[in-house]
Amino acid sequence: MGVKTMLPSYELGFYALAVTCAVVYSGSGIFEASRGNAPHRRHLVLLPQDVADFEWVMWFTSFRNVIIFALSGHVIFGKICSMTVPQHRAVVYMLYGISAVLGSMGLVYLMIILSHCLVLYSVALAKQKWLCYMAGLCCLASFKVEPFISWQRGFVTGAFDLQDVLFCGGSGFTIMRCMSFALESSKRKEGIYSIFDLLKYNFYLPFFFFGPVMTFDQFHAQVSAPEAGRKDDEMRNIRVHALLHVGAIIAVDIFFHFFYILTLPSDLKFISRLSDWSLAGLAYSNLVYDWVKAAVMFGVINTIARLDHLDPPQPPKCITMLYVFAETHFDRGINDWLCKYVYDHIGENHDNITKELMATIATFAVTTLWLGPCEIVYIWSVFNCFGLNFELWVQKFFQQEPFAKLEAKMSAAMSRRIRAVFGAANFWAIVLYNILALNSLEFALLVTKRLLLMGFPVSTLSIWFITYCGVQLIKERERILAIEEEKCDKAKVE
């Protein structure tokens, strides 16, 4: 994604985060009444940094130096290889990745990973898709379901703060990559890819522990291609993106010193005293923050991958720009994997309601296994599966007569306005369904009750109207971008 399309999303996301947090905290707790002779005087108290997000603290505090050291080494070795033996760069990436995994997690963990790679490679030799799915999902379950995960983790000796995180991250992504390799091998008409190709694919260090997942066909084609020169302004774009990610990290750290958007939802007694608008802003800002975190994490990794002449999955679409369930995801790599091997494979063109229902159920079943089966994940999966199907049901309903004729008689602008009304409702459904996983069921129920029941009609309709205006702006921006893209395509043809 180019700089022109990334900048608006970042600006919009940070602006929205700052505004909503300001709404939440205006007169609701960051100011404390001073005690003593002036009981009504209020002063600003600089609270300690919010450490509720374990992942952020891990990446940029306890794990920061390790990340910098490991990725810097990868870049240096990759650059030396590109200058000396560019045809063997994939081998160098693999050897460095194996060394990094061995040094950080030990020999036993490396043997566990290699054993799963060997099992799925052996299954791929049969060239049977159903067998690849079955073996892959069983291997994934062994890292997500008790007692199998504890049994395998028990072999890894030693203990340090990040061992469990690295164990689960590296093993989970390994299975997804091995499944992609097996499924792509089963489609290959002549022979099968070698196990050496699988190891080069799996042990590319920037993707190993935390993703994103590139499907095997894309990675193999890009890493096997002779290293070509860079396009005009490519290095400039990489530098700009790197600076954006550094700015994002600094901005989020600053926000953590003033806005407790992650800690507040756990204090139901406090947030129940907030206004409807503040509560809506808090719920929305939690999703914006999670998008920023995902954009930063995948953005940093993608910058390294682009230096290696790869085209990795892009960061997720800004939550502010989402008003349809079909585009809702926080990990574009996993989303692309699920779409290619499950959702599109079963749903085909997504026009048939029955096939779409089967495709979404299968997709969210795999997603539930990927996230780790538990009560909150089950609830999240059911609601998002329903939302995705409900979109298709509504779309099919309004394609019937007389609605199709009525829309045909409308202007394009009027059609967009009507669709924006439904899009605004969809936007808040996406927010409410996803704060289940990000915060808690109790917080999601409180927000739903306040916005739909206790806040009706004033708060409900006013928030809906503001969201409707935002969806209108987003749809207009998408229309302009589509026109510009069409003009560029015509210019290339001519």
Side-chain angles (χ1 to χ4, degrees), residues 438-488:
L438 296 179
N439 297 111
S440 66
L441 178 60
E442 292 77 14
F443 177 60
L445 290 173
L446 175 63
V447 175
T448 304
K449 181 180 178 181
R450 290 284 295 275
L451 295 187
L452 297 183
L453 299 178
M454 297 177 65
F456 187 84
V458 177
S459 297
T460 304
L461 296 180
S462 57
I463 290 174
W464 193 348
F465 176 73
I466 295 298
T467 309
Y468 161 80
C469 295
V471 173
Q472 277 278 66
L473 292 174
I474 295 166
K475 291 180 75 69
E476 180 63 18
R477 178 175 177 270
E478 290 174 345
R479 186 184 69 84
I480 293 173
L481 290 175
I483 292 173
E484 291 178 354
E485 187 175 347
E486 186 178 354
K487 288 180 180 179
C488 291

Short mmCIF file of all heavy atoms in Angstrom, two decimals, residues 438-488:
data_model
loop_
_atom_site.label_atom_id
_atom_site.label_comp_id
_atom_site.label_asym_id
_atom_site.label_seq_id
_atom_site.Cartn_x
_atom_site.Cartn_y
_atom_site.Cartn_z
N LEU A 438 -11.76 -8.00 22.91
CA LEU A 438 -10.72 -7.08 23.35
C LEU A 438 -10.83 -6.75 24.83
O LEU A 438 -9.82 -6.48 25.48
CB LEU A 438 -10.79 -5.78 22.53
CG LEU A 438 -10.51 -5.92 21.03
CD1 LEU A 438 -10.65 -4.56 20.36
CD2 LEU A 438 -9.12 -6.48 20.79
N ASN A 439 -12.05 -6.72 25.36
CA ASN A 439 -12.23 -6.35 26.76
C ASN A 439 -12.91 -7.47 27.54
O ASN A 439 -12.25 -8.37 28.02
CB ASN A 439 -13.03 -5.05 26.85
CG ASN A 439 -12.31 -3.88 26.22
OD1 ASN A 439 -12.74 -3.37 25.17
ND2 ASN A 439 -11.22 -3.44 26.81
N SER A 440 -14.22 -7.41 27.65
CA SER A 440 -14.94 -8.44 28.41
C SER A 440 -16.39 -8.46 27.98
O SER A 440 -16.90 -7.49 27.40
CB SER A 440 -14.85 -8.18 29.92
OG SER A 440 -15.54 -6.98 30.25
N LEU A 441 -17.06 -9.56 28.27
CA LEU A 441 -18.48 -9.68 27.96
C LEU A 441 -19.29 -8.67 28.77
O LEU A 441 -20.26 -8.08 28.24
CB LEU A 441 -18.94 -11.11 28.28
CG LEU A 441 -20.43 -11.42 28.05
CD1 LEU A 441 -20.81 -11.20 26.60
CD2 LEU A 441 -20.74 -12.85 28.48
N GLU A 442 -18.92 -8.44 30.02
CA GLU A 442 -19.65 -7.50 30.87
C GLU A 442 -19.59 -6.08 30.30
O GLU A 442 -20.60 -5.36 30.29
CB GLU A 442 -19.09 -7.51 32.29
CG GLU A 442 -19.32 -8.80 33.06
CD GLU A 442 -18.38 -9.91 32.62
OE1 GLU A 442 -17.38 -9.60 31.93
OE2 GLU A 442 -18.62 -11.08 32.98
N PHE A 443 -18.41 -5.67 29.83
CA PHE A 443 -18.26 -4.33 29.25
C PHE A 443 -19.09 -4.21 27.98
O PHE A 443 -19.77 -3.20 27.76
CB PHE A 443 -16.79 -4.06 28.96
CG PHE A 443 -16.53 -2.73 28.29
CD1 PHE A 443 -16.90 -1.55 28.91
CD2 PHE A 443 -15.94 -2.67 27.03
CE1 PHE A 443 -16.66 -0.33 28.30
CE2 PHE A 443 -15.70 -1.46 26.42
CZ PHE A 443 -16.06 -0.28 27.04
N ALA A 444 -19.06 -5.24 27.13
CA ALA A 444 -19.84 -5.21 25.89
C ALA A 444 -21.34 -5.13 26.19
O ALA A 444 -22.08 -4.39 25.53
CB ALA A 444 -19.54 -6.45 25.06
N LEU A 445 -21.81 -5.88 27.20
CA LEU A 445 -23.22 -5.83 27.56
C LEU A 445 -23.61 -4.47 28.11
O LEU A 445 -24.71 -3.96 27.82
CB LEU A 445 -23.53 -6.92 28.60
CG LEU A 445 -23.49 -8.36 28.09
CD1 LEU A 445 -23.66 -9.34 29.25
CD2 LEU A 445 -24.57 -8.60 27.04
N LEU A 446 -22.73 -3.86 28.91
CA LEU A 446 -23.01 -2.53 29.46
C LEU A 446 -23.14 -1.50 28.35
O LEU A 446 -24.08 -0.69 28.34
CB LEU A 446 -21.91 -2.13 30.44
CG LEU A 446 -22.01 -0.71 31.02
CD1 LEU A 446 -23.29 -0.57 31.84
CD2 LEU A 446 -20.78 -0.39 31.87
N VAL A 447 -22.20 -1.51 27.40
CA VAL A 447 -22.25 -0.56 26.28
C VAL A 447 -23.51 -0.77 25.45
O VAL A 447 -24.20 0.19 25.08
CB VAL A 447 -20.99 -0.69 25.40
CG1 VAL A 447 -21.10 0.22 24.18
CG2 VAL A 447 -19.73 -0.36 26.19
N THR A 448 -23.84 -2.03 25.18
CA THR A 448 -25.04 -2.33 24.39
C THR A 448 -26.30 -1.84 25.09
O THR A 448 -27.18 -1.23 24.47
CB THR A 448 -25.14 -3.84 24.14
OG1 THR A 448 -23.95 -4.30 23.51
CG2 THR A 448 -26.32 -4.17 23.25
N LYS A 449 -26.39 -2.10 26.38
CA LYS A 449 -27.57 -1.69 27.15
C LYS A 449 -27.72 -0.19 27.17
O LYS A 449 -28.83 0.35 26.97
CB LYS A 449 -27.45 -2.24 28.57
CG LYS A 449 -28.64 -1.91 29.47
CD LYS A 449 -28.44 -2.49 30.86
CE LYS A 449 -29.61 -2.12 31.77
NZ LYS A 449 -29.41 -2.67 33.15
N ARG A 450 -26.60 0.51 27.36
CA ARG A 450 -26.67 1.98 27.44
C ARG A 450 -27.00 2.61 26.10
O ARG A 450 -27.75 3.59 26.03
CB ARG A 450 -25.34 2.51 27.97
CG ARG A 450 -25.08 2.19 29.42
CD ARG A 450 -25.89 3.09 30.35
NE ARG A 450 -25.46 4.46 30.22
CZ ARG A 450 -24.42 5.00 30.88
NH1 ARG A 450 -23.76 4.24 31.76
NH2 ARG A 450 -24.10 6.24 30.72
N LEU A 451 -26.43 2.07 25.01
CA LEU A 451 -26.63 2.70 23.70
C LEU A 451 -27.98 2.35 23.08
O LEU A 451 -28.57 3.17 22.39
CB LEU A 451 -25.51 2.30 22.74
CG LEU A 451 -24.10 2.80 23.10
CD1 LEU A 451 -23.13 2.47 21.98
CD2 LEU A 451 -24.08 4.28 23.40
N LEU A 452 -28.46 1.14 23.30
CA LEU A 452 -29.68 0.70 22.62
C LEU A 452 -30.94 0.82 23.49
O LEU A 452 -32.03 1.03 22.94
CB LEU A 452 -29.52 -0.75 22.16
CG LEU A 452 -28.43 -1.02 21.14
CD1 LEU A 452 -28.45 -2.49 20.72
CD2 LEU A 452 -28.58 -0.13 19.91
N LEU A 453 -30.81 0.67 24.81
CA LEU A 453 -31.99 0.67 25.67
C LEU A 453 -32.10 1.94 26.51
O LEU A 453 -33.02 2.74 26.32
CB LEU A 453 -31.96 -0.57 26.58
CG LEU A 453 -31.98 -1.92 25.85
CD1 LEU A 453 -31.90 -3.07 26.84
CD2 LEU A 453 -33.20 -2.06 24.96
N MET A 454 -31.15 2.14 27.41
CA MET A 454 -31.23 3.28 28.31
C MET A 454 -31.03 4.61 27.58
O MET A 454 -31.60 5.63 27.97
CB MET A 454 -30.19 3.12 29.43
CG MET A 454 -30.42 1.91 30.31
SD MET A 454 -29.12 1.68 31.56
CE MET A 454 -29.37 3.17 32.55
N GLY A 455 -30.24 4.60 26.52
CA GLY A 455 -29.97 5.83 25.79
C GLY A 455 -30.96 6.17 24.70
O GLY A 455 -30.85 7.22 24.06
N PHE A 456 -31.91 5.28 24.47
CA PHE A 456 -32.89 5.51 23.40
C PHE A 456 -33.94 6.53 23.87
O PHE A 456 -34.41 6.47 24.99
CB PHE A 456 -33.56 4.19 23.02
CG PHE A 456 -34.45 4.27 21.82
CD1 PHE A 456 -33.91 4.17 20.55
CD2 PHE A 456 -35.80 4.47 21.97
CE1 PHE A 456 -34.73 4.25 19.44
CE2 PHE A 456 -36.63 4.55 20.87
CZ PHE A 456 -36.09 4.45 19.60
N PRO A 457 -34.34 7.49 23.02
CA PRO A 457 -33.94 7.65 21.61
C PRO A 457 -32.82 8.67 21.40
O PRO A 457 -32.20 8.69 20.35
CB PRO A 457 -35.24 8.15 20.97
CG PRO A 457 -35.87 8.97 22.05
CD PRO A 457 -35.52 8.31 23.35
N VAL A 458 -32.55 9.54 22.39
CA VAL A 458 -31.66 10.68 22.14
C VAL A 458 -30.24 10.22 21.83
O VAL A 458 -29.68 10.51 20.76
CB VAL A 458 -31.66 11.64 23.35
CG1 VAL A 458 -30.67 12.78 23.11
CG2 VAL A 458 -33.06 12.20 23.58
N SER A 459 -29.62 9.49 22.76
CA SER A 459 -28.24 9.05 22.55
C SER A 459 -28.13 8.10 21.36
O SER A 459 -27.21 8.21 20.54
CB SER A 459 -27.70 8.38 23.81
OG SER A 459 -27.65 9.28 24.88
N THR A 460 -29.05 7.16 21.27
CA THR A 460 -28.99 6.16 20.20
C THR A 460 -29.04 6.82 18.83
O THR A 460 -28.19 6.58 17.96
CB THR A 460 -30.17 5.18 20.33
OG1 THR A 460 -30.14 4.58 21.63
CG2 THR A 460 -30.09 4.09 19.27
N LEU A 461 -30.04 7.69 18.62
CA LEU A 461 -30.22 8.30 17.29
C LEU A 461 -29.13 9.33 16.99
O LEU A 461 -28.70 9.46 15.84
CB LEU A 461 -31.60 8.94 17.20
CG LEU A 461 -32.78 7.95 17.30
CD1 LEU A 461 -34.12 8.69 17.21
CD2 LEU A 461 -32.69 6.88 16.23
N SER A 462 -28.67 10.06 18.00
CA SER A 462 -27.64 11.06 17.75
C SER A 462 -26.31 10.40 17.40
O SER A 462 -25.60 10.84 16.47
CB SER A 462 -27.48 11.98 18.96
OG SER A 462 -27.17 11.23 20.12
N ILE A 463 -25.95 9.32 18.12
CA ILE A 463 -24.71 8.59 17.80
C ILE A 463 -24.84 7.93 16.43
O ILE A 463 -23.88 7.93 15.64
CB ILE A 463 -24.41 7.55 18.89
CG1 ILE A 463 -24.01 8.26 20.19
CG2 ILE A 463 -23.31 6.59 18.45
CD1 ILE A 463 -23.84 7.34 21.38
N TRP A 464 -26.02 7.40 16.13
CA TRP A 464 -26.25 6.80 14.81
C TRP A 464 -26.10 7.85 13.72
O TRP A 464 -25.49 7.59 12.67
CB TRP A 464 -27.66 6.20 14.77
CG TRP A 464 -27.91 5.29 13.59
CD1 TRP A 464 -27.14 5.13 12.47
CD2 TRP A 464 -29.01 4.40 13.42
NE1 TRP A 464 -27.68 4.21 11.63
CE2 TRP A 464 -28.84 3.74 12.18
CE3 TRP A 464 -30.13 4.09 14.18
CZ2 TRP A 464 -29.76 2.81 11.69
CZ3 TRP A 464 -31.04 3.16 13.71
CH2 TRP A 464 -30.85 2.53 12.48
N PHE A 465 -26.61 9.06 13.94
CA PHE A 465 -26.52 10.12 12.92
C PHE A 465 -25.08 10.54 12.69
O PHE A 465 -24.64 10.71 11.54
CB PHE A 465 -27.36 11.33 13.34
CG PHE A 465 -27.26 12.49 12.39
CD1 PHE A 465 -27.87 12.46 11.15
CD2 PHE A 465 -26.50 13.61 12.73
CE1 PHE A 465 -27.76 13.52 10.27
CE2 PHE A 465 -26.39 14.68 11.87
CZ PHE A 465 -27.02 14.63 10.62
N ILE A 466 -24.32 10.71 13.78
CA ILE A 466 -22.91 11.09 13.63
C ILE A 466 -22.15 10.00 12.87
O ILE A 466 -21.33 10.29 11.99
CB ILE A 466 -22.27 11.33 15.01
CG1 ILE A 466 -22.92 12.53 15.70
CG2 ILE A 466 -20.76 11.55 14.86
CD1 ILE A 466 -22.75 13.84 14.98
N THR A 467 -22.44 8.74 13.21
CA THR A 467 -21.79 7.63 12.51
C THR A 467 -22.20 7.60 11.04
O THR A 467 -21.37 7.34 10.16
CB THR A 467 -22.14 6.29 13.18
OG1 THR A 467 -21.89 6.38 14.58
CG2 THR A 467 -21.32 5.17 12.58
N TYR A 468 -23.48 7.89 10.77
CA TYR A 468 -23.96 7.96 9.39
C TYR A 468 -23.19 8.99 8.59
O TYR A 468 -22.79 8.73 7.44
CB TYR A 468 -25.46 8.29 9.41
CG TYR A 468 -26.00 8.83 8.11
CD1 TYR A 468 -26.33 7.98 7.05
CD2 TYR A 468 -26.18 10.21 7.93
CE1 TYR A 468 -26.82 8.48 5.86
CE2 TYR A 468 -26.66 10.71 6.75
CZ TYR A 468 -26.98 9.85 5.72
OH TYR A 468 -27.46 10.35 4.53
N CYS A 469 -22.95 10.15 9.17
CA CYS A 469 -22.16 11.18 8.47
C CYS A 469 -20.75 10.69 8.19
O CYS A 469 -20.19 10.94 7.11
CB CYS A 469 -22.13 12.46 9.30
SG CYS A 469 -23.72 13.26 9.53
N GLY A 470 -20.16 9.99 9.16
CA GLY A 470 -18.82 9.45 8.95
C GLY A 470 -18.78 8.41 7.85
O GLY A 470 -17.87 8.41 7.02
N VAL A 471 -19.78 7.53 7.81
CA VAL A 471 -19.84 6.51 6.75
C VAL A 471 -20.01 7.18 5.39
O VAL A 471 -19.43 6.73 4.39
CB VAL A 471 -20.99 5.52 7.03
CG1 VAL A 471 -21.17 4.56 5.85
CG2 VAL A 471 -20.70 4.72 8.29
N GLN A 472 -20.79 8.26 5.34
CA GLN A 472 -20.95 9.00 4.08
C GLN A 472 -19.61 9.53 3.58
O GLN A 472 -19.30 9.44 2.39
CB GLN A 472 -21.92 10.17 4.28
CG GLN A 472 -23.38 9.78 4.18
CD GLN A 472 -23.83 9.71 2.73
OE1 GLN A 472 -23.38 8.86 1.95
NE2 GLN A 472 -24.72 10.59 2.35
N LEU A 473 -18.83 10.09 4.49
CA LEU A 473 -17.50 10.60 4.10
C LEU A 473 -16.60 9.47 3.60
O LEU A 473 -15.87 9.63 2.61
CB LEU A 473 -16.85 11.30 5.29
CG LEU A 473 -17.50 12.60 5.77
CD1 LEU A 473 -16.83 13.08 7.05
CD2 LEU A 473 -17.39 13.67 4.68
N ILE A 474 -16.66 8.33 4.28
CA ILE A 474 -15.83 7.19 3.89
C ILE A 474 -16.24 6.68 2.50
O ILE A 474 -15.39 6.41 1.64
CB ILE A 474 -15.94 6.07 4.93
CG1 ILE A 474 -15.35 6.54 6.26
CG2 ILE A 474 -15.23 4.81 4.46
CD1 ILE A 474 -15.70 5.66 7.44
N LYS A 475 -17.55 6.56 2.27
CA LYS A 475 -18.04 6.08 0.97
C LYS A 475 -17.68 7.06 -0.14
O LYS A 475 -17.33 6.65 -1.26
CB LYS A 475 -19.55 5.87 1.02
CG LYS A 475 -19.98 4.71 1.91
CD LYS A 475 -21.48 4.53 1.95
CE LYS A 475 -21.98 3.90 0.66
NZ LYS A 475 -21.54 2.50 0.52
N GLU A 476 -17.72 8.36 0.15
CA GLU A 476 -17.33 9.35 -0.86
C GLU A 476 -15.84 9.24 -1.17
O GLU A 476 -15.42 9.33 -2.33
CB GLU A 476 -17.67 10.74 -0.35
CG GLU A 476 -17.31 11.88 -1.30
CD GLU A 476 -18.08 11.82 -2.61
OE1 GLU A 476 -19.13 11.14 -2.68
OE2 GLU A 476 -17.62 12.46 -3.59
N ARG A 477 -15.03 9.03 -0.12
CA ARG A 477 -13.58 8.86 -0.34
C ARG A 477 -13.31 7.62 -1.18
O ARG A 477 -12.46 7.64 -2.09
CB ARG A 477 -12.87 8.76 1.00
CG ARG A 477 -11.36 8.54 0.90
CD ARG A 477 -10.72 8.58 2.28
NE ARG A 477 -9.30 8.30 2.18
CZ ARG A 477 -8.78 7.09 2.27
NH1 ARG A 477 -9.57 6.04 2.43
NH2 ARG A 477 -7.47 6.92 2.18
N GLU A 478 -14.02 6.53 -0.89
CA GLU A 478 -13.86 5.30 -1.67
C GLU A 478 -14.26 5.51 -3.13
O GLU A 478 -13.63 4.98 -4.04
CB GLU A 478 -14.68 4.18 -1.03
CG GLU A 478 -14.14 3.69 0.30
CD GLU A 478 -15.05 2.68 0.95
OE1 GLU A 478 -16.23 2.57 0.52
OE2 GLU A 478 -14.61 2.00 1.91
N ARG A 479 -15.32 6.30 -3.34
CA ARG A 479 -15.76 6.57 -4.71
C ARG A 479 -14.70 7.35 -5.48
O ARG A 479 -14.39 7.04 -6.65
CB ARG A 479 -17.07 7.36 -4.68
CG ARG A 479 -17.72 7.59 -6.04
CD ARG A 479 -18.95 8.45 -5.91
NE ARG A 479 -18.61 9.81 -5.56
CZ ARG A 479 -18.25 10.76 -6.45
NH1 ARG A 479 -18.20 10.46 -7.74
NH2 ARG A 479 -17.97 11.98 -6.05
N ILE A 480 -14.12 8.36 -4.82
CA ILE A 480 -13.08 9.17 -5.49
C ILE A 480 -11.85 8.32 -5.79
O ILE A 480 -11.26 8.42 -6.89
CB ILE A 480 -12.72 10.37 -4.60
CG1 ILE A 480 -13.91 11.33 -4.49
CG2 ILE A 480 -11.50 11.11 -5.16
CD1 ILE A 480 -13.71 12.46 -3.51
N LEU A 481 -11.44 7.48 -4.84
CA LEU A 481 -10.29 6.61 -5.07
C LEU A 481 -10.54 5.62 -6.21
O LEU A 481 -9.64 5.32 -7.00
CB LEU A 481 -9.94 5.85 -3.79
CG LEU A 481 -9.34 6.67 -2.64
CD1 LEU A 481 -9.17 5.81 -1.41
CD2 LEU A 481 -8.01 7.29 -3.06
N ALA A 482 -11.78 5.12 -6.31
CA ALA A 482 -12.12 4.20 -7.40
C ALA A 482 -12.05 4.89 -8.75
O ALA A 482 -11.57 4.31 -9.73
CB ALA A 482 -13.52 3.63 -7.17
N ILE A 483 -12.49 6.14 -8.80
CA ILE A 483 -12.43 6.90 -10.06
C ILE A 483 -10.98 7.14 -10.45
O ILE A 483 -10.59 6.98 -11.62
CB ILE A 483 -13.19 8.24 -9.91
CG1 ILE A 483 -14.69 7.98 -9.77
CG2 ILE A 483 -12.92 9.13 -11.12
CD1 ILE A 483 -15.50 9.23 -9.45
N GLU A 484 -10.14 7.52 -9.46
CA GLU A 484 -8.72 7.76 -9.76
C GLU A 484 -8.03 6.48 -10.22
O GLU A 484 -7.21 6.50 -11.14
CB GLU A 484 -8.03 8.32 -8.52
CG GLU A 484 -8.47 9.72 -8.15
CD GLU A 484 -7.80 10.21 -6.88
OE1 GLU A 484 -7.08 9.41 -6.24
OE2 GLU A 484 -7.99 11.39 -6.53
N GLU A 485 -8.37 5.35 -9.58
CA GLU A 485 -7.77 4.07 -9.96
C GLU A 485 -8.20 3.68 -11.37
O GLU A 485 -7.39 3.16 -12.15
CB GLU A 485 -8.20 3.00 -8.96
CG GLU A 485 -7.50 1.66 -9.18
CD GLU A 485 -7.86 0.65 -8.11
OE1 GLU A 485 -8.44 1.05 -7.08
OE2 GLU A 485 -7.56 -0.54 -8.30
N GLU A 486 -9.46 3.93 -11.71
CA GLU A 486 -9.95 3.62 -13.05
C GLU A 486 -9.23 4.47 -14.11
O GLU A 486 -8.87 3.98 -15.18
CB GLU A 486 -11.46 3.87 -13.12
CG GLU A 486 -12.09 3.45 -14.44
CD GLU A 486 -13.58 3.67 -14.46
OE1 GLU A 486 -14.16 4.04 -13.40
OE2 GLU A 486 -14.19 3.47 -15.52
N LYS A 487 -8.99 5.73 -13.79
CA LYS A 487 -8.25 6.61 -14.72
C LYS A 487 -6.83 6.13 -14.92
O LYS A 487 -6.31 6.13 -16.04
CB LYS A 487 -8.26 8.05 -14.18
CG LYS A 487 -9.61 8.75 -14.27
CD LYS A 487 -9.50 10.17 -13.73
CE LYS A 487 -10.84 10.89 -13.82
NZ LYS A 487 -10.76 12.26 -13.26
N CYS A 488 -6.19 5.69 -13.84
CA CYS A 488 -4.82 5.18 -13.94
C CYS A 488 -4.77 3.92 -14.80
O CYS A 488 -3.85 3.74 -15.61
CB CYS A 488 -4.25 4.89 -12.54
SG CYS A 488 -3.96 6.35 -11.55
#
